[in-house]
Amino acid sequence: MKEVYDLIIAGSGAAGLACAITAKKRGLDVVVLEKEPVFGGTTALSGGVLWVPLNHHGRKQNDSDSVRAVQTYMQSETGKFYDEEAVKCFIENGPKMVEFFEQNTAMQFIPTLYPDYHPDAPGGVDIGRSILAAPYDIRELGKDMDRLKPPLKTITFMGMMFNSSNADLKHFFRVTKSLTSFFYVAKRLANHMKELALYRRAVQVTSGNALAARLAKSAFDLGIPILTETPVRNVVVENERLVGVLVNRLGVDQRITARHGVVLATGGFPHDVQRIAKAYPHVNRGHQHLSPTPKSNTGDGPNMAEAVGGVVDMRFQEPAAWMPVTQVDFGKGEIGVFPHLLDRYKPGVIGVLSNGRRFTNESNSYHDVGAAMEKACAGMKETAMWLVCDKSTLSKYGLGYVKPAPMPIGSFVRSGYLIKGRTLADLALRTGIDAVNLEQTVREYNKDAVRGDDPAFGRGSTSFNRYLADPERKPNPCVAPIEQGPFFAVKVVMGDLGTFDGITTSVVGEVLRRDGTPIAGLYAAGNDRASIMGGNYPGAGITHGPNMTFGYVTANHIADVAARAAVPQPRGNSDREYA
């Protein structure tokens, strides 16, 4: 490993790789340092969606969208944390970032049909702001294929991946009802089994695995080394300027010098036990929290920034992207975390607290449902809800990690993951839910659900509610009664998809001291940097979209500063220009 580079990136997720690739294309000598033995970070486990308003794919879907509408929506969503300068930078550079990567790298995007998560809010839209990494054959990575972080096991089927919004899932749900779907699924399974036999993993990847793989391939094509098993221990400051890092490379401590800067992109602090105990209200109450993010995301970036004078304040009401999750026991000591991305939207599924009462619109976004659960459980013994359905709904859609028919459910009942009751009262007894209230809740829900109505919480009232529901269910794709026993439930607790609070930076990513001055040569990107969304979750991809955009912005800024340093500049020039 070389001892000197122009730029050092700590972290191999989307933000870090976007920054590295942009800097390399601008002529800087770059290295990416990754703590884990695999690269891709949280990105590789994610849905791979990017929220980038006014990108050219979205323009084709919704040519009426505008800068003013995006500004209005973001102001509505971020409230008192609205940062006009940062929003302006994001809106201007997001589309440029998309075009840059599609024109210069292996990165390709495809449009989605995702509405904003709050499409009825001022400036919200029903389509055109979220894009997705195109599927990818990871054999293109060659010898580095095995270093790509595998997808989250709980959201694959025997290791096979599919996007939540594509045709694959629809065929899997209809496999016993449609000959077309049966043959489609049979072909997918046959191809997947062949891949497992040859490579011991899926090679046709989608979602965040495709995003991470495409970015890594782009980095390798440019000659950027991604050094895995190389954790950054400390950043080195000399004469008030960041000059490099101390790493442990294959058990050997080593110093690497950076001529023009170090970018912290280590994934935030979702597994920093001490920090989340202060930041997460339910953890502060002693309640359970399970995060499907990489366990290596222990706050290294924020901790290193603070050690040299950076600021990591807990400012946002919602410090993380909440995700309702369940714990899955794979046996032999292996525990997984299942994020409830789809089941809550399906008709015939409701969520109740231990008191037997519903508390929110279950078809809202995972973050909104998580935030509602956080508040509803403030005075309770645990922050948890039970997702409840009947036999026909379970058979049709599954529930949590339990797959729909014809997949068997016996092992899940025996393990206690799926609770079964002959009646609602029996189900309540087995789960500890208040039986009288549960029966009353279902009775009141059913009275309107038979007509497709949910006057209590308005399920199906927005395009986003309906997007991941069942379009064949009329008149409301999100609502159906819970009628025929046996009845089933799974216990859902709080998790997260990553942190929103983070290092305080300038718009271009400079790490700032408490007095607002930058620490020369030190930058933050991705979830290490405080989110532009101010603790809210406005749409699909609000992490990757801004993270890649500001990674691109930060790299261009560093390259501009490096170029100006090589040539004497007239007095008065600013080095804080955007890309």
Side-chain angles (χ1 to χ4, degrees):
M1 181 171 60
K2 288 167 50 178
E3 295 184 352
V4 181
Y5 291 88
D6 290 331
L7 182 63
I8 297 170
I9 312 289
S12 65
L17 291 180
C19 190
I21 292 163
T22 306
K24 184 69 173 183
K25 291 294 289 186
R26 290 290 307 275
L28 299 184
D29 187 19
V30 185
V31 64
V32 176
L33 308 177
E34 170 56 51
K35 182 180 184 179
E36 292 194 282
V38 288
F39 56 75
T42 307
T43 300
L45 306 179
S46 72
V49 181
L50 292 81
W51 194 77
V52 184
L54 309 176
N55 71 83
H56 66 275
H57 296 290
R59 288 283 199 184
K60 294 176 183 177
Q61 296 175 300
N62 181 5
D63 61 5
S64 65
D65 202 4
S66 66
V67 170
R68 181 178 294 276
V70 179
Q71 290 173 327
T72 299
Y73 186 59
M74 292 193 69
Q75 190 161 20
S76 171
E77 293 293 294
T78 60
K80 67 179 181 179
F81 294 109
Y82 181 73
D83 185 331
E84 184 174 0
E85 186 183 9
V87 169
K88 178 177 180 290
C89 179
F90 173 56
I91 293 173
E92 288 180 356
N93 286 278
K96 293 179 183 177
M97 178 274 294
V98 171
E99 292 185 12
F100 168 83
F101 278 93
E102 289 191 324
Q103 292 172 6
N104 294 283
T105 76
M107 193 67 245
Q108 295 297 310
F109 299 104
I110 54 177
T112 76
L113 300 177
Y114 270 109
D116 285 341
Y117 283 177
H118 308 128
D120 296 339
V125 299
D126 290 325
I127 195 171
R129 292 177 179 169
S130 294
I131 56 177
L132 182 69
Y136 192 63
D137 185 334
I138 63 172
R139 287 174 292 190
E140 295 292 326
L141 291 171
K143 62 181 177 61
D144 291 302
M145 182 178 77
D146 291 338
R147 290 203 299 148
L148 172 66
K149 191 177 188 68
L152 194 65
K153 184 176 179 178
T154 52
I155 60 173
T156 67
F157 181 62
M158 298 187 298
M160 182 169 56
M161 301 183 65
F162 29 74
N163 292 325
S164 63
S165 57
N166 71 7
D168 285 356
L169 278 179
K170 297 175 184 178
H171 286 300
F172 274 82
F173 282 133
R174 293 177 56 80
V175 66
T176 61
K177 303 172 184 177
S178 162
L179 196 59
T180 299
S181 291
F182 174 81
F183 284 117
Y184 182 93
V185 171
K187 182 178 179 180
R188 285 278 280 125
L189 285 173
N191 289 337
H192 179 62
M193 297 310 292
K194 181 180 178 181
E195 291 177 7
L196 291 181
L198 292 174
Y199 305 104
R200 295 180 299 170
R201 67 184 295 171
V203 298
Q204 303 296 329
V205 303
T206 65
S207 305
N209 224 232
L211 178 59
R214 285 181 173 276
L215 287 169
K217 171 62 173 172
S218 303
F220 294 139
D221 285 347
L222 291 169
I224 300 172
I226 301 177
L227 303 182
T228 47
E229 296 184 274
T230 309
V232 178
R233 301 300 193 194
N234 294 293
V235 292
V236 180
V237 176
E238 293 179 357
N239 298 320
E240 298 188 348
R241 179 175 180 82
L242 211 297
V243 296
V245 297
L246 295 178
V247 304
N248 185 276
R249 174 69 172 159
L250 302 177
V252 178
D253 290 334
Q254 183 176 350
R255 173 170 163 169
I256 308 176
T257 297
R259 297 186 186 93
H260 299 298
V262 173
V263 179
L264 302 173
T266 66
F269 57 89
H271 291 281
D272 183 335
V273 176
Q274 292 183 336
R275 204 180 291 271
I276 69 169
K278 297 177 182 178
Y280 295 3
H282 60 286
V283 178
N284 187 259
R285 297 194 292 261
H287 295 178
Q288 187 177 17
H289 182 87
L290 298 171
S291 178
T293 60
K295 292 183 179 179
S296 60
N297 291 2
T298 53
D300 296 347
N303 291 336
M304 286 187 285
E306 283 185 321
V308 294
V311 177
V312 185
D313 286 336
M314 298 298 105
R315 301 179 298 159
F316 304 142
Q317 182 174 350
E318 310 298 341
W322 300 132
M323 170 60 75
V325 300
T326 44
Q327 181 171 292
V328 180
D329 188 348
F330 293 118
K332 298 182 179 179
E334 184 183 2
I335 301 296
V337 179
F338 178 86
H340 285 259
L341 293 160
L342 297 174
D343 51 359
R344 298 174 293 99
Y345 301 90
K346 299 299 187 284
V349 177
I350 62 171
V352 300
L353 303 177
S354 59
N355 61 14
R357 299 295 190 188
R358 291 175 69 202
F359 63 98
T360 192
N361 178 342
E362 299 91 343
S363 296
N364 282 341
S365 77
Y366 35 82
H367 179 71
D368 289 348
V369 171
M373 185 165 72
E374 177 82 75
K375 293 176 176 61
C377 295
M380 297 186 174
K381 294 181 179 179
E382 58 181 349
T383 300
M385 69 171 172
W386 293 89
L387 290 179
V388 176
C389 71
D390 64 16
K391 180 180 180 180
S392 64
T393 296
L394 180 74
S395 177
K396 191 171 186 179
Y397 308 113
L399 189 68
Y401 191 60
V402 181
K403 304 300 185 285
M407 299 302 293
I409 66 171
S411 63
F412 297 105
V413 175
R414 289 190 295 272
S415 70
Y417 178 85
L418 181 68
I419 308 299
K420 178 180 179 181
R422 293 176 293 100
T423 64
L424 287 171
D426 185 32
L427 185 71
L429 178 65
R430 294 172 185 272
T431 56
I433 300 172
D434 185 294
V436 173
N437 284 348
L438 178 61
E439 290 180 321
Q440 182 180 355
T441 293
V442 172
R443 187 165 54 249
E444 292 173 351
Y445 169 77
N446 285 346
K447 179 180 62 176
D448 299 296
V450 294
R451 301 189 306 274
D453 292 333
D454 180 28
F457 294 101
R459 286 186 67 168
S461 59
T462 72
S463 58
F464 175 71
N465 277 186
R466 299 186 292 271
Y467 179 61
L468 293 174
D470 182 357
E472 295 184 0
R473 177 73 191 183
K474 308 294 183 182
N476 188 334
C478 298
V479 176
I482 302 169
E483 297 177 313
Q484 299 297 323
F487 300 93
F488 298 89
V490 294
K491 185 180 181 180
V492 179
V493 299
M494 278 290 285
D496 67 69
L497 296 180
T499 46
F500 282 150
D501 273 316
I503 302 168
T504 300
T505 68
S506 68
V507 173
V508 296
E510 301 158 305
V511 174
L512 302 179
R513 300 183 180 88
R514 182 69 65 184
D515 64 5
T517 60
I519 299 172
L522 184 60
Y523 302 84
N527 286 2
D528 278 357
R529 170 179 173 161
S531 171
I532 190 178
M533 299 300 171
N536 207 348
Y537 213 118
I542 60 92
T543 300
H544 291 322
N547 284 358
M548 281 191 65
T549 298
F550 284 109
Y552 168 81
V553 167
T554 296
N556 276 303
H557 168 79
I558 294 169
D560 289 344
V561 172
R564 286 196 290 270
V567 178
Q569 294 292 308
R571 294 179 64 183
N573 275 14
S574 170
D575 66 354
R576 293 200 185 191
E577 298 170 5
Y578 304 147

